[in-house]
Amino acid sequence: MDDPRLTPARGDLAAKYLEGKVKAERFVAGEIFEVSSAIAPLREAPSTDAALLTQALKGERVTVYDRNGEGFAWGQLNSDRYVGWLRDSALTTPGAAPTHKVTAIRTFAFPGPSIKLPPAETLPMGAMVTVMREDDIFAVTREGWYLPLQHLAGIGQREPDFVTVAERFVGTPYLWGGKSSFGIDCSGLVQISLNAAGTPCPRDTDMQQDELGRPLDAVESKNLQRGDLIFWKGHVAIARDALTIVHANAYHMATVIEPTSDAIARIKATGLEVLAIKGLKP
């Protein structure tokens, strides 16, 4: 059965590419849009009160299949294929392909060539922009924003160690569905960190457990290596070394570094055992 989180299909409407595979009253090809907001919530229903499923970041492409006429669009993110509702106001007609991405955990977009100006926007790690030119210490985007050059890198740049990226989020508040330094959840931390290192990554913990790495012996948690992933039902943590992990979690309501044994014992006390340990190294 197709995963509804990744399948743009409802009883009344579905994506054209699903015709013959699912039942729907009509099938539409959809239209590509670009995320123009710094962070665009992708929700379960067309309401600001609906559950947050994930977040789309500036520069991402979205295929929109429906609009409700009340300010919301229903579509599928082109990056990790997640399906949900976005605000119309967060979308725009695609412009030139992004040339750069934000590599700082967040950066300011200034309206002119001075850090003393009130920022026009705050962009999170992973946001993508189109740089038109450089001006001293700034990159000037097609919106006319001035971004610090040291907070950007070319679209193809890869971080050498995704764990180091995850460690930079320590202290970030926990947010279900979040994937930025303003708020992040466990699988969002894994996804944004792996993406920064050039590794495609699905959104949710069960998807990550199924699709990432190779299985290791779950009993041998004492032999963890940097970059291994530990999975519980509904939770994932990243090994920093044989003894510590970094993870975003609701117990601390933050991204923290803690002893692996402490986390395993605490989570076991709630009735959840380690489901799997996956190694990402060849």
Side-chain angles (χ1 to χ4, degrees):
M1 181 178 177
D2 290 323
D3 189 331
R5 295 170 295 180
L6 306 177
T7 308
R10 310 184 319 224
D12 64 324
L13 180 148
K16 185 73 174 176
Y17 74 84
L18 294 172
E19 193 165 8
K21 300 177 182 178
V22 301
K23 292 183 179 181
E25 294 176 8
R26 61 190 178 98
F27 295 85
V28 296
E31 186 178 356
I32 302 294
F33 285 86
E34 179 181 325
V35 175
S36 55
S37 296
I39 301 172
L42 186 83
R43 298 191 182 278
E44 189 174 47
S47 168
T48 55
D49 295 331
L52 179 65
L53 301 175
T54 186
Q55 294 171 325
L57 305 182
K58 180 174 173 58
E60 286 194 62
R61 270 28 179 196
V62 182
T63 304
V64 171
Y65 296 102
D66 187 28
R67 282 192 162 88
N68 72 347
E70 298 178 357
F72 281 88
W74 182 73
Q76 183 172 37
L77 303 183
N78 291 14
S79 55
D80 61 18
R81 300 169 46 234
Y82 222 106
V83 175
W85 291 90
L86 294 154
R87 292 297 299 264
D88 269 330
S89 58
L91 304 175
T92 189
T93 302
T99 59
H100 290 70
K101 61 184 178 181
V102 176
T103 53
I105 61 169
R106 57 183 174 273
T107 191
F108 294 120
F110 297 99
S114 171
I115 61 172
K116 296 181 181 180
L117 294 171
E121 185 59 277
T122 306
L123 300 178
M125 177 185 288
M128 296 179 288
V129 295
T130 302
V131 173
M132 308 304 291
R133 61 186 174 86
E134 294 183 9
D135 183 345
D136 193 22
I137 64 170
F138 296 103
V140 185
T141 71
R142 70 170 187 238
E143 295 89 354
W145 293 341
Y146 287 70
L147 300 175
L149 277 169
Q150 64 199 69
H151 289 173
L152 299 177
I155 287 293
Q157 188 266 354
R158 298 183 177 186
E159 294 282 353
D161 177 26
F162 87 95
V163 185
T164 299
V165 178
E167 290 169 338
R168 290 162 62 189
F169 283 86
V170 168
T172 297
Y174 180 84
L175 175 66
W176 179 275
K179 50 185 283 187
S180 82
S181 62
F182 295 101
I184 201 163
D185 65 13
C186 63
S187 54
L189 180 67
V190 171
Q191 185 184 54
I192 202 75
S193 301
L194 280 174
N195 286 348
T199 301
C201 179
R203 180 58 177 90
D204 292 342
T205 55
D206 60 326
M207 302 174 185
Q208 293 171 356
Q209 182 180 333
D210 289 343
E211 298 179 32
L212 295 176
R214 68 191 193 287
L216 302 176
D217 188 344
V219 178
E220 295 297 323
S221 58
K222 63 183 178 181
N223 294 328
L224 287 168
Q225 297 185 39
R226 187 174 180 86
D228 289 346
L229 300 177
I230 310 172
F231 291 94
W232 295 262
K233 181 177 174 58
H235 188 58
V236 60
I238 305 167
R240 298 176 63 246
D241 49 39
L243 299 177
T244 61
I245 57 174
V246 56
H247 61 149
N249 67 92
Y251 177 81
H252 294 97
M253 286 305 294
T255 298
V256 300
I257 291 170
E258 67 173 320
T260 307
S261 58
D262 289 0
I264 290 176
R266 183 180 70 250
I267 296 171
K268 184 176 182 178
T270 69
L272 298 179
E273 299 279 357
V274 172
L275 292 178
I277 298 177
K278 305 292 288 287
L280 300 188
K281 294 181 181 178

